[in-house]
Amino acid sequence: MSVESRGCESEYDPKHGSSALRKRVTEREPHKGNVKVAENTETRGANNKHQNHSLNPRLKLQDIGGTEHVLGLKKCNPPASTTSAHQEWTVYSLILVALLSLCTRFYKILEPPHICWDETHFGKMGSYYINQTFFFDVHPPLGKMLIGLAGYLTGYDGSFPFAKPGDKFEEHNYAGMRAFCALLGSCLPPFAYLTVLELSKSLPAALITASLLIFDTGCITISQYILLDPILMFFILGSVLSMVKFSSHRERAFSGSWWLWLLLTGVNLAGALGVKFVGLFVILLVGMNTVRDLWSLLGDINLSLVLFGKHLLARVFCLILLPASLYISFFAIHFLVLNKSGPGDGFFSSAFQSRLIGNNLHNASMPEYLAYGSTITMKNVRIAGGYLHSHWHLYPEGVGARQQQITAYSHKDFNNLWFVRNQDFKTENPTDPVEFVKHGDIIRLEHKETSRNLHSHLHEAPLTKKHFQVTGYGINGTGDPNDFWQIEVCGGKPGDLVKVLRSKVRLIHLSTGCVLYSSGKTLPKWGWEQVEVSCSPYLKDTPNSQWNFEDHVNAKLPNISLEVLKPSFPEILLESHIVMIRGNSGLKPKDNEVSSKPWHWPINYQGLRFSGVNETEYRIYLLGNPVIWWLNLFSIALYVVMVTIAATSIQRGIQLSQKARERCRVLMEGGREMMLGWLLHYLPFFTMGRILYYHHYFPALLFSSMLTGITWDTMLQSWDLFVSPPVTQRIYSGGVAVLIILFLYSFYLFHPLSYGMVGPPAHDPSSPMAGLKWMESWEF
């Protein structure tokens, strides 16, 4: 049912937007048919003949009790009896939506009882929090912290390794982490329902939207496993709902409910960004809405500048300072909990690692100055720079000289160890006095494991073609003059000693004059996807060409404490963000991993295997309900046509009924917010260079589903432009019912995608999914 105002007309002024809506309020006297017109105090004494017809369109009315404001637009309420009945139906419908959402998300929540898809990553990271073990991930920490907290509170002890998809959980308690994600995923349909209800004031529009999300197999599947996506979407949709609710309280500025929704908007924005950087898109959406809102307030001449300043400060505090503080606090908790050395150490600087318990640099002591004969590791000083590394593998044919590979490797490894030798090809005598390495010295670096020397020559580097190749060369430490490197301390002068950890050094190749360089480019499979090391003829001083000595062992030298190296919180916060951003941009597909392109997503071109491959296995396939996804795509085009017609009609001054003007308002205001949300959460992926996956579209799907509800509700109501009201009502009721039945039936057909398939695949006529493989690219 659509909520329509009795005795109230509103008119949309395209030049002044929502603030210029003009109203005509009528009330009928008892026992009489004549109409009285409510008067503004400013117009009392005006000619009485105007009171019996309509108000002057320029007349300003005082606020009349019972008005609501949606995104700044005023709309008159129906009488109290109608409102009460509508509110009851709204509450009953919300309860039904919540129950259906919970049932669809929690059904078979424990199946399959093994790791599915990215549970191997995020379940493992939850375990790291329980064990306080430091790790590296390309996303901010909030989502993983919440997963770890859910596991801890439900009895999971963090001992399961989450090694690879398909590993059985056996006696380990994984139910709590899955249930937590499913619970947040279950909130999405109710949130969408309330958002669309607030924007459109139409219960059927809200029910259509909720049905789209309840019966979408993709939303069900992605909510049932230990993943970040349901947590991210919970905060995104929570931000949108809070924003819309706050906008509806515009005329009750600084009331308790006004502050509540504004604060909740800020909290949800912090949550969205704290789970994934995709949260920046909803921050942009709320920011654009806030700027538009403030601009409207600034144009209100009845609002003093002092009061406008209060509005501005309230939004700055709740939408900027509060989210920023919460976001930073997530990282403070993250660093506080993860205080033990783990697999993520090598991605960070030596100073960062010195704060991790169990790391070789934590409370460590080592010789202060570099000396010949020492065993060392060298780390590139750029953020996320790796250790100078070598292994027995050779460069392949056609890639420079076929000599031993030299790479940069982000993890701690025995193959990162090197001996510091002088330029003479002879082994140091243990009885010789200690000789320190100084700025300007000529040295050799001998790989401890393979006894090859760090070497360069005029062959081009494997990826950076204008650079020279760096290899491992020689036998048992002997080689040729291309093994000699001059060490320079950045900012140093001849004779300066090289300080371990604190000195940034460059290695200049003596024969070619190039500088040892880590490009940051990832080598192909033959290079084990490690980072290219080359010799750059461009001698500009950059972090890529700077290194520091991290580990340092020399039995002849006394050790000093490294306590002074521990960084401050702002330093580690900045470093962690740089590492995350670089890690995100460098993501590449793994073997046999299915990636996709953004244009694939709205057409539901290809899904993702969550579990199982052959007919004997329990198979889960992440794929959206095709009826729902294709209807959403069609509805976007339909919305563009409808809003164009609506805007053109208003601009041309076409006389429209009150109902038609109200529908235009919903399309141009509520629909605009959803369309903008879809664009902001979809189009940026076309500009990204990193690997992309099908599940990246799901935040945008939330907005397209809400837009579908608004669009179809408006279109079905618009039949009153062509047929009589009784026929329109039958078309409207029948259309809504057909849509919901269509969603339910398509869910019945495709529900095995979410709840498990066994037996032959869909292309086999004997398969239970036979006939449902509507696209060749689907792999179930």
Side-chain angles (χ1 to χ4, degrees):
M1 69 188 73
S2 176
V3 179
E4 296 163 4
S5 302
R6 289 187 185 174
C8 173
E9 294 190 6
S10 59
E11 206 173 286
Y12 184 84
D13 187 336
K15 294 183 179 179
H16 300 91
S18 59
S19 62
L21 282 177
R22 294 169 291 182
K23 301 180 176 179
R24 183 175 66 193
V25 182
T26 64
E27 57 179 38
R28 297 186 179 274
E29 289 183 347
H31 315 299
K32 293 184 180 181
N34 62 309
V35 177
K36 283 185 172 183
V37 181
E39 296 184 7
N40 184 278
T41 55
E42 297 176 5
T43 63
R44 287 175 184 163
N47 195 323
N48 289 337
K49 67 181 179 180
H50 294 294
Q51 298 178 2
N52 295 324
H53 298 287
S54 60
L55 290 176
N56 185 318
R58 295 185 181 274
L59 209 59
K60 289 183 66 178
L61 293 179
Q62 292 179 327
D63 276 349
I64 299 171
T67 62
E68 290 193 5
H69 305 267
V70 181
L71 293 173
L73 295 182
K74 292 185 179 180
K75 182 182 175 183
C76 292
N77 282 335
S81 59
T82 305
T83 302
S84 177
H86 176 260
Q87 287 177 345
E88 287 183 8
W89 277 106
T90 298
V91 172
Y92 295 150
S93 299
L94 177 60
I95 293 172
L96 177 62
V97 166
L99 288 175
L100 287 173
S101 186
L102 286 167
C103 291
T104 52
R105 271 63 181 172
F106 277 86
Y107 179 63
K108 289 190 172 184
I109 188 69
L110 299 181
E111 296 183 21
H114 60 246
I115 300 173
C116 293
W117 195 52
D118 269 0
E119 284 188 316
T120 187
H121 299 303
F122 302 118
K124 183 186 300 180
M125 292 170 188
S127 298
Y128 285 145
Y129 279 105
I130 294 173
N131 297 318
Q132 297 184 266
T133 303
F134 186 77
F135 66 94
F136 165 70
D137 186 42
V138 297
H139 306 300
L142 179 61
K144 285 96 63 180
M145 284 197 296
L146 291 175
I147 288 172
L149 179 62
Y152 177 77
L153 293 177
T154 54
Y156 172 60
D157 61 3
S159 60
F160 186 66
F162 283 94
K164 65 181 184 302
D167 287 356
K168 293 188 179 298
F169 290 111
E170 297 177 340
E171 76 281 0
H172 296 279
N173 186 355
Y174 64 98
M177 292 184 284
R178 279 194 181 175
F180 170 72
C181 293
L183 180 63
L184 296 192
S186 300
C187 294
L188 301 180
F191 281 9
Y193 167 92
L194 292 171
T195 301
V196 171
L197 186 65
E198 192 66 57
L199 290 173
S200 67
K201 298 301 177 185
S202 170
L203 182 57
L207 287 173
I208 291 171
T209 298
S211 300
L212 287 165
L213 297 179
I214 289 172
F215 299 122
D216 178 51
T217 51
C219 284
I220 292 171
T221 304
I222 209 163
S223 298
Q224 287 192 308
Y225 299 93
I226 306 169
L227 303 171
L228 296 184
D229 300 271
I231 308 174
L232 171 68
M233 292 191 288
F234 171 85
F235 284 116
I236 287 176
L237 210 45
S239 300
V240 175
L241 173 60
S242 301
M243 175 189 75
V244 170
K245 284 287 190 180
F246 168 73
S247 296
S248 72
H249 287 70
R250 178 171 180 172
E251 297 302 316
R252 285 173 277 173
F254 305 106
S255 65
S257 55
W258 185 91
W259 278 109
L260 174 65
W261 289 114
L262 184 58
L263 286 167
L264 284 176
T265 304
V267 170
N268 281 297
L269 290 177
L273 186 60
V275 176
K276 282 188 176 183
F277 288 128
V278 171
L280 287 168
F281 302 150
V282 75
I283 289 175
L284 184 57
L285 175 66
V286 173
M288 294 170 70
N289 184 271
T290 302
V291 170
R292 187 168 56 245
D293 183 35
L294 287 171
W295 184 251
S296 175
L297 289 172
L298 186 61
D300 185 353
I301 59 174
N302 294 319
L303 190 72
S304 70
L305 289 179
V306 172
L307 192 55
F308 173 79
K310 292 180 179 179
H311 276 277
L312 177 62
L313 289 176
R315 287 160 174 80
V316 168
F317 173 76
C318 294
L319 301 181
I320 298 177
L321 298 181
L322 175 64
S325 300
L326 289 173
Y327 180 75
I328 292 172
S329 71
F330 300 152
F331 279 89
I333 297 170
H334 169 75
F335 294 131
L336 182 66
V337 173
L338 302 184
N339 60 359
K340 298 178 182 178
S341 178
D345 295 14
F347 290 92
F348 292 83
S349 67
S350 305
F352 185 101
Q353 294 178 47
S354 68
R355 52 176 295 279
L356 298 173
I357 299 171
N359 188 283
N360 62 305
L361 299 178
H362 179 72
N363 291 336
S365 59
M366 63 178 63
E368 183 178 9
Y369 297 105
L370 185 67
Y372 291 102
S374 296
T375 302
I376 55 95
T377 60
M378 277 181 63
K379 195 172 192 298
N380 192 249
V381 301
R382 70 182 180 89
I383 300 296
Y387 296 93
L388 187 67
H389 178 94
S390 189
H391 39 236
W392 288 105
H393 303 281
L394 307 181
Y395 287 102
E397 290 287 349
V399 181
R402 190 166 169 76
Q403 296 175 8
Q404 188 168 296
Q405 296 177 16
I406 301 292
T407 65
Y409 188 47
S410 297
H411 300 278
K412 300 277 189 177
D413 190 87
F414 190 75
N415 280 326
N416 300 339
L417 295 175
W418 300 79
F419 292 124
V420 180
R421 305 295 192 195
N422 57 33
Q423 59 183 322
D424 298 326
F425 291 103
K426 63 180 182 180
T427 304
E428 287 81 5
N429 191 324
T431 61
D432 290 343
V434 173
E435 183 181 357
F436 290 106
V437 178
K438 302 181 183 65
H439 174 94
D441 281 4
I442 309 300
I443 67 170
R444 285 185 300 116
L445 290 180
E446 179 186 327
H447 191 240
K448 182 175 181 180
E449 175 68 12
T450 63
S451 298
R452 308 283 191 191
N453 294 323
L454 186 69
H455 178 95
S456 187
H457 42 227
L458 295 177
H459 294 272
E460 67 180 19
L463 300 180
T464 311
K465 299 302 182 181
K466 293 184 178 181
H467 290 192
F468 302 133
Q469 183 187 33
V470 177
T471 67
Y473 179 75
I475 301 174
N476 294 325
T478 61
D480 64 23
N482 283 335
D483 302 338
F484 298 150
W485 301 81
Q486 185 176 43
I487 188 167
E488 290 184 354
V489 178
C490 297
K493 57 183 183 295
D496 284 353
L497 299 181
V498 179
K499 295 180 180 179
V500 174
L501 290 171
R502 286 176 286 179
S503 290
K504 297 177 182 179
V505 303
R506 301 200 310 162
L507 295 183
I508 308 297
H509 191 241
L510 207 59
S511 298
T512 62
C514 59
V515 61
L516 189 68
Y517 190 92
S518 174
S519 68
K521 299 176 182 178
T522 303
L523 293 167
K525 301 294 183 184
W526 56 256
W528 303 94
E529 296 184 341
Q530 295 173 11
V531 176
E532 177 193 43
V533 170
S534 61
C535 199
S536 171
Y538 310 105
L539 300 183
K540 183 179 179 181
D541 202 359
T542 68
N544 299 70
S545 62
Q546 294 175 350
W547 305 77
N548 73 296
F549 296 95
E550 184 171 288
D551 297 285
H552 183 212
V553 178
N554 193 316
K556 297 180 181 181
L557 296 174
N559 295 333
I560 63 164
S561 174
L562 302 180
E563 185 70 21
V564 295
L565 293 176
K566 288 186 178 179
S568 64
F569 175 72
E571 290 173 331
I572 62 177
L573 181 67
L574 176 61
E575 180 176 347
S576 64
H577 277 78
I578 296 174
V579 172
M580 284 189 294
I581 292 169
R582 288 184 176 173
N584 240 315
S585 61
L587 286 177
K588 291 190 175 184
K590 304 177 183 68
D591 289 334
N592 303 317
E593 191 174 29
V594 177
S595 60
S596 61
K597 295 179 172 58
W599 69 265
H600 291 173
W601 304 338
I603 63 175
N604 219 18
Y605 179 77
Q606 189 176 34
L608 277 170
R609 286 196 186 101
F610 261 45
S611 174
V613 177
N614 57 56
E615 61 185 60
T616 62
E617 295 178 314
Y618 189 89
R619 303 191 302 279
I620 301 292
Y621 190 69
L622 176 65
L623 184 74
N625 184 328
V627 172
I628 290 174
W629 283 51
W630 294 341
L631 179 67
N632 280 348
L633 183 60
F634 173 74
S635 299
I636 291 171
L638 179 62
Y639 169 77
V640 172
V641 172
M642 290 174 61
V643 79
T644 301
I645 293 173
T648 303
S649 300
I650 291 172
Q651 189 69 16
R652 295 294 298 171
I654 296 175
Q655 294 298 317
L656 299 174
S657 68
Q658 180 268 330
K659 292 181 181 179
R661 287 196 298 273
E662 175 60 18
R663 290 195 294 268
C664 290
R665 182 199 68 80
V666 171
L667 277 177
M668 297 177 68
E669 296 291 334
R672 177 194 64 200
E673 295 297 321
M674 299 302 101
M675 185 68 177
L676 181 60
W678 179 76
L679 292 171
L680 288 175
H681 285 80
Y682 177 50
L683 294 184
F685 287 101
F686 285 93
T687 66
M688 294 184 185
R690 57 154 288 175
I691 183 174
L692 298 173
Y693 301 102
Y694 174 71
H695 69 99
H696 287 142
Y697 184 68
F698 279 85
L701 177 72
L702 300 176
F703 291 93
S704 65
S705 297
M706 291 188 285
L707 182 62
T708 296
I710 291 173
T711 301
W712 281 88
D713 179 74
T714 304
M715 190 198 72
L716 291 171
Q717 289 187 58
S718 298
W719 277 93
D720 65 355
L721 298 173
F722 310 104
V723 297
S724 64
V727 175
T728 299
Q729 187 58 42
R730 287 195 292 271
I731 292 174
Y732 181 65
S733 302
V736 172
V738 167
L739 284 173
I740 294 177
I741 291 171
L742 181 63
F743 304 154
L744 183 59
Y745 180 67
S746 60
F747 170 70
Y748 166 75
L749 293 177
F750 287 95
H751 76 273
L753 296 175
S754 297
Y755 299 132
M757 299 171 285
V758 291
H763 58 75
D764 190 318
S766 63
S767 170
M769 301 296 289
L772 293 178
K773 190 177 180 182
W774 296 349
M775 296 184 72
E776 285 298 319
S777 52
W778 295 349
E779 299 173 314
F780 57 83

